């Protein structure tokens, strides 16, 4: 296909083979003469798709049998309110770790349903690190974490061991690295970063946690209804689930999460090494908490930043502008981004520095 290097943060790059297969299914799915977009979600063919997608999620993340795998809609943002609606109402409080923009959004919604305790925050340092040691007040309904802070470029590598139920927003690093599902009571992720196209939200939840809900919630916000109806209480996001299935098959083919994690580590190391070496750039996140999915950095001044952006866009590199609240650059290295794209970016950064270093003495000598 094209030579575009897509470093976008989300919706993001999907494997080319997945896109080709997904495109075929729009006009003639499985040789049926029908489009995947016009079949009944109750048909045996689609039931097979949703079952297979669930099975792949279970296999790839080693999800234990006492956890439900659910497909919802409304993005990760709907989970910000659905979680407290189910688990905070009628309880004293829930605890939140404030690690960035999306954690803040989750906190805002939770406050509509009960008391929110912010156990710690890295706001004072522009969310450039993950707070390490914090304590929770007694009787917290759950602790909410954001495993990867997509905008700020930090990632949690050590999850707290606690008796409190842990709920985690894994939207931007799920399937990028191995996790121990049993460390969590509920995991959620909007699909459009490492899983598939926008439109589907994955929830993995411990059955006992779901069964602990005592308050009444509307059907479309009731996790148990999704569980009891195999995620088909109403019409599910058929196409998003189908493309996610293709993407998970691709991942399994690549050797699964363990294998892709090694590639992701290499990609991130290559880019961070260049940021640290290159005198034109500077990383934004604390070394120990640097995200492998979203690499944030800045240029040494505004002029340099503009020059590099122009150069990168000429080379077909898209999606590297930092989020408006952070500025600088953000380069996303999701599963489907080939290592060649990272190599291309790193060599562009090297060449750029060479040119700039040659230019500087001329300017300063007059
Ligand atoms: C993108 C993102 C969200 C928001 O997801 P939507 O599906 O757009 O609602 C929430 N949390 C994190 C960590 C994200 O990266």
């Amino acid at each position: 296909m094209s030579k575009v290097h897509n470093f976008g943060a989300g919706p993001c790059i999907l494997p080319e083979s997945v896109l080709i297969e997904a495109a075929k299914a729009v006009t003639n799915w499985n040789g049926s003469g029908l489009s995947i977009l016009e079949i009944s979600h109750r048909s045996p063919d689609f039931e097979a798709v949703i079952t297979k997608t669930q099975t792949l999620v279970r296999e790839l993340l080693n999800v234990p049998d006492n956890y439900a795998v659910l497909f919802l809609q409304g993005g990760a943002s709907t989970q910000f309110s659905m979680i407290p609606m189910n688990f905070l109402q009628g309880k004293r409080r829930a605890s939140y770790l404030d690690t960035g923009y999306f954690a803040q959004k989750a906190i805002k919604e939770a406050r509509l349903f009960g008391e929110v305790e912010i156990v710690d925050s890295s706001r004072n340092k522009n969310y450039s690190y993950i707070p390490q040691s914090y304590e929770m007040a007694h009787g917290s309904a759950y602790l909410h974490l954001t495993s990867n802070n997509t905008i700020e470029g930090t990632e949690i590598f050590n999850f707290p061991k606690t008796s409190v139920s842990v709920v985690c927003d894994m939207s931007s690093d799920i399937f990028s690295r191995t996790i121990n599902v049993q460390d969590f009571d509920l995991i959620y992720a909007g699909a459009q970063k490492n899983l598939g196209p926008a439109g589907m939200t994955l929830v993995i939840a411990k059955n006992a946690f779901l069964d602990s809900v005592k308050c009444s919630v509307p059907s479309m916000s009731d996790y148990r209804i999704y569980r009891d109806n195999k995620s088909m209480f109403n019409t599910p996001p058929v196409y998003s689930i189908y493309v996610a299935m293709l993407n998970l098959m691709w991942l399994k083919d690549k050797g699964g999460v363990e294998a892709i994690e090694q590639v992701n580590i290499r990609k991130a190391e290559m880019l961070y090494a260049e940021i640290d070496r290159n005198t034109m750039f500077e990383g934004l996140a604390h070394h120990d908490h640097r995200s492998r999915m979203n690499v944030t950095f800045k240029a040494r001044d505004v002029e340099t930043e503009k020059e590099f952006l122009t150069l990168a866009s000429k080379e077909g590199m898209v999606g590297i502008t930092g989020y408006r609240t952070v500025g600088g650059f953000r380069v996303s290295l999701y599963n489907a981004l080939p290592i060649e794209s990272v190599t291309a970016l790193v060599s562009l950064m090297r060449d750029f520095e060479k040119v700039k270093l040659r230019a500087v003495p001329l300017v300063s000598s007059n």
Side-chain angles (χ1 to χ4, degrees):
M1 248 185 349
S2 59
K3 277 193 310 199
V4 171
H5 300 285
N6 185 359
F7 296 107
C12 73
I13 184 167
L14 288 166
E16 191 180 349
S17 60
V18 167
L19 295 177
I20 291 170
E21 193 68 21
K24 270 197 245 161
V26 171
T27 47
N28 185 357
W29 181 44
N30 276 348
S32 65
L34 291 170
S35 166
I36 180 97
L37 304 178
E38 56 184 7
I39 57 157
S40 165
H41 61 288
R42 305 272 175 212
S43 65
D45 284 350
F46 184 71
E47 289 232 22
V49 168
I50 203 164
T51 303
K52 179 155 189 184
T53 314
Q54 272 181 355
T55 305
L56 284 163
V57 170
R58 287 189 180 278
E59 272 179 43
L60 289 163
L61 293 176
N62 289 316
V63 179
D65 287 343
N66 60 329
Y67 282 70
V69 172
L70 312 172
F71 304 120
L72 282 64
Q73 302 195 52
S77 301
T78 296
Q79 295 306 301
F80 295 161
S81 53
M82 193 162 152
I83 287 158
M85 197 188 297
N86 279 267
F87 303 105
L88 177 53
Q89 278 198 93
K91 312 257 170 55
R92 274 210 299 278
R93 73 176 74 80
S95 307
Y96 279 69
L97 184 63
D98 176 23
T99 51
Y101 176 86
F102 286 117
Q104 276 284 323
K105 287 181 98 173
I107 289 164
K108 178 167 179 270
E109 299 298 308
R111 286 196 167 123
L112 299 172
F113 298 95
E115 188 189 325
V116 171
E117 173 201 27
I118 296 178
V119 291
D120 208 340
S121 170
S122 47
R123 189 176 195 164
N124 58 344
K125 288 192 175 160
N126 294 325
Y127 294 120
S128 59
Y129 69 101
I130 305 284
Q132 292 302 300
S133 53
Y134 41 86
E135 284 182 11
M136 278 168 282
H138 255 318
S140 188
Y142 59 84
L143 168 67
H144 180 279
L145 304 171
T146 314
S147 58
N148 185 67
N149 298 283
T150 323
I151 285 170
E152 297 82 2
T154 60
E155 193 166 5
I156 300 180
F157 295 108
N158 299 305
F159 292 101
K161 297 269 174 280
T162 165
S163 58
V164 173
S165 299
V166 178
V167 170
C168 191
D169 178 356
M170 293 196 185
S171 292
S172 51
D173 68 349
I174 197 155
F175 297 109
S176 76
R177 56 163 169 159
T178 51
I179 49 164
N180 183 6
V181 171
Q182 289 176 88
D183 289 343
F184 308 92
D185 282 64
L186 190 148
I187 292 166
Y188 66 97
Q192 67 277 16
K193 282 141 192 166
N194 249 336
L195 180 51
M200 183 254 270
T201 312
L202 172 67
V203 170
I204 302 171
K206 196 189 263 180
N207 281 318
F209 190 51
L210 300 185
D211 292 326
S212 73
V213 176
K214 296 288 181 284
C215 57
S216 47
V217 289
S219 303
M220 284 299 287
S221 298
D222 189 335
Y223 294 101
R224 291 163 300 185
I225 295 226
Y226 289 86
R227 180 184 63 189
D228 299 344
N229 291 279
K230 273 189 81 181
S231 296
M232 291 214 273
F233 172 67
N234 73 329
T235 316
V238 168
Y239 194 58
S240 292
I241 292 173
Y242 173 70
V243 181
M245 179 193 80
L246 296 178
N247 196 33
L248 293 176
M249 287 165 70
W250 171 87
L251 179 55
K252 191 177 168 184
D253 233 43
K254 288 268 159 192
V257 174
E258 290 82 0
I260 208 94
E261 178 172 24
Q262 294 312 310
V263 181
N264 288 335
I265 289 172
R266 264 180 62 210
K267 290 192 296 191
E269 279 177 356
M270 276 167 63
L271 182 53
Y272 282 120
E274 179 58 20
I275 291 167
D276 291 343
R277 189 208 61 76
N278 196 311
T279 53
M280 297 298 135
F281 303 104
E282 190 189 326
L284 291 175
H286 187 287
H287 270 67
D288 298 341
H289 312 145
R290 286 171 155 183
S291 167
R292 292 176 191 149
M293 290 290 103
N294 313 96
V295 176
T296 51
F297 58 105
K298 62 178 187 180
R300 61 176 188 185
D301 53 57
V302 182
E303 193 52 38
T304 308
E305 179 180 316
K306 277 193 200 143
E307 277 177 52
F308 188 72
L309 271 178
T310 311
L311 184 65
S313 112
K314 268 195 216 140
E315 295 296 314
M317 296 178 182
V318 303
I320 69 166
T321 318
Y323 193 77
R324 56 190 149 80
T325 54
V326 178
F329 305 99
R330 172 178 52 172
V331 170
S332 298
L333 308 175
Y334 296 117
N335 286 353
L337 184 89
I339 205 152
E340 292 75 29
S341 289
V342 184
T343 316
L345 177 62
V346 165
S347 45
L348 192 71
M349 290 165 77
R350 281 177 190 276
D351 293 348
F352 178 70
E353 186 197 31
K354 276 187 203 143
V355 172
K356 291 285 283 181
L357 287 180
R358 251 183 264 136
V360 167
L362 282 177
V363 173
S364 57
S365 64
N366 60 15

